[in-house]
Amino acid sequence: MINISINIPVKPLLIGKVGKSYGILGWINIFSFTEEQEKIFNYLPWFFLKEKKWTKIQINNWKNHKNNFVVQIKNISDRSIVRKFTNSDIIISKYTLPVLQKNDYYWNDIIDCKVFNLDQIYLGTVINLMRIKNNDILILKNESKKFKKNILIPFIENHIIKNVNIKNKFILVQWK
């Protein structure tokens, strides 16, 4: 039996950020980027990435703290040691995520999709998404020479968003 330990993620996916240390016993603040914040703990192991250096992390314990979380990393019980992780990105292997049903996708799958309107006019490339109270918003890099600002399109399926094709990386929208 071969035991292989992977110390860098396969298909890295950003799911959070590390904040400052908490207390004197090696706990540290973390900020979750997952849709339901607590689900960040469903996607283990974590890899911290800071200054192009990867560190595989095992969580010993965690708790809610001021709308975010504090975690205790296994085998670290000293504030000065955990402090080196401040401002690290929290990365997982994409394969850690649950397999989705047909025609479902994750937000990160939409990044870099080309967006066209119903008149087959290219509007731009998705560079990010933003969550607001009523719906999500696609943020497109505007490649038109007329306008310099990014284009914001409400992500309202079947009304504005007509088709999302992850395989071919394009989105069809009802938008001018």
Side-chain angles (χ1 to χ4, degrees):
M1 168 82 107
I2 298 174
N3 185 6
I4 299 173
S5 176
I6 298 174
N7 291 319
I8 60 170
V10 179
K11 289 201 165 201
L13 182 63
L14 177 69
I15 62 165
K17 191 82 172 171
V18 179
K20 62 183 181 177
S21 57
Y22 172 81
I24 61 170
L25 298 176
W27 289 68
I28 196 159
N29 287 280
I30 63 140
F31 305 95
S32 173
F33 298 162
T34 58
E35 185 173 1
E36 295 174 41
Q37 289 190 343
E38 204 167 288
K39 286 199 173 186
I40 192 170
F41 299 103
N42 293 353
Y43 311 125
L44 299 171
W46 291 349
F47 298 86
F48 286 175
L49 176 62
K50 184 174 182 180
E51 299 169 357
K52 298 181 182 180
K53 183 177 181 238
W54 294 97
T55 306
K56 187 174 182 179
I57 299 299
Q58 291 183 359
I59 303 300
N60 195 39
N61 202 354
W62 66 273
K63 60 185 175 183
N64 288 313
H65 180 69
K66 294 184 180 178
N67 296 326
N68 288 297
F69 306 99
V70 291
V71 298
Q72 182 183 43
I73 299 169
K74 188 174 183 179
N75 298 325
I76 297 179
S77 59
D78 185 312
R79 175 187 185 99
S80 62
I81 295 171
V82 81
R83 189 179 294 150
K84 73 179 182 178
F85 296 122
T86 297
N87 294 323
S88 294
D89 289 330
I90 302 172
I91 310 285
I92 61 168
S93 293
K94 185 172 181 177
Y95 300 113
T96 307
L97 297 174
V99 176
L100 296 175
Q101 300 296 319
K102 186 177 180 184
N103 297 327
D104 285 343
Y105 41 83
Y106 289 108
W107 266 24
N108 67 301
D109 295 329
I110 294 174
I111 303 297
D112 294 329
C113 281
K114 306 287 184 203
V115 179
F116 297 87
N117 69 13
L118 295 177
D119 297 324
Q120 298 180 355
I121 296 172
Y122 174 65
L123 300 175
T125 302
V126 178
I127 57 172
N128 206 347
L129 286 104
M130 176 174 39
R131 170 148 291 128
I132 61 172
K133 186 175 183 181
N134 295 325
N135 55 271
D136 299 332
I137 303 284
L138 286 176
I139 303 173
L140 309 183
K141 179 178 181 184
N142 185 353
E143 297 178 26
S144 165
K145 301 205 184 322
K146 284 191 341 187
F147 306 105
K148 296 194 184 222
K149 294 187 178 182
N150 291 334
I151 299 171
L152 305 179
I153 299 176
F155 197 94
I156 303 171
E157 290 183 284
N158 301 323
H159 181 68
I160 294 173
I161 306 298
K162 296 299 185 181
N163 184 17
V164 176
N165 186 320
I166 297 301
K167 182 178 178 185
N168 295 311
K169 300 297 278 181
F170 79 85
I171 299 172
L172 186 63
V173 297
Q174 184 171 336
W175 200 257
K176 292 290 179 187

